[in-house]
Amino acid sequence: MAADLTSYQQRVEEWLEACFPPSVRSDRAERTHRFLEEALELAQANGCSHDDAVALVHYVFGRQKGEPTQEVGGVMVTLASLCSATGIHMGEAGDVELARNWDRIDAIRAKQQAKPHGSPLPQ
């Protein structure tokens, strides 16, 4: 199974290389903000309220900072369990979105270039 995950990650890296300059694709803050945006959109799509999201932000940021590798593991476990609970095939959803992103490179680049430099907001 690890080979499948590595393969998917490599395919995403190939898309990143095709879509963005190194300064954008390797920008840890930018990648973190885009991940958080997508995680919040998934939570919203599953019925999470604004108040619950804000309460969780306060909870998380009121605790000690975690270790990134362990937190990635936690994200993967909880994403897989959420997908199971909602009947979504995680691998298929990832493949579909990656294919969609390949078809939207120009629009994604334009959105990236239009956003304020250093802002966590996507536009």
Side-chain angles (χ1 to χ4, degrees):
M1 178 161 218
D4 292 340
L5 295 175
T6 301
S7 174
Y8 183 76
Q9 185 172 347
Q10 179 60 43
R11 289 184 291 131
V12 170
E13 288 175 9
E14 290 168 4
W15 171 77
L16 284 166
E17 287 177 20
C19 192
F20 298 117
S23 61
V24 173
R25 67 178 182 255
S26 65
D27 183 330
R28 188 175 184 167
E30 173 68 13
R31 299 282 55 93
T32 299
H33 293 149
R34 297 297 58 84
F35 169 77
L36 180 57
E37 177 187 6
E38 292 299 329
L40 288 168
E41 288 174 354
L42 175 58
Q44 181 185 48
N46 276 298
C48 182
S49 72
H50 177 273
D51 289 343
D52 286 349
V54 170
L56 283 165
V57 167
H58 288 291
Y59 171 75
V60 168
F61 282 89
R63 300 172 68 200
Q64 188 111 6
K65 184 168 77 168
E67 193 280 313
T69 301
Q70 185 273 320
E71 299 298 347
V72 166
V75 164
M76 292 179 71
V77 168
T78 57
L79 177 59
S81 64
L82 175 60
C83 287
S84 293
T86 57
I88 296 169
H89 187 283
M90 188 170 72
E92 287 176 10
D95 287 338
V96 167
E97 185 63 10
L98 183 56
R100 190 172 86 90
N101 284 352
W102 274 108
D103 291 338
R104 301 176 333 117
I105 285 180
D106 290 337
I108 292 168
R109 283 181 185 151
K111 186 175 179 180
Q112 171 64 33
Q113 290 173 346
K115 73 179 231 108
H117 180 70
S119 173
L121 300 176
Q123 52 189 351

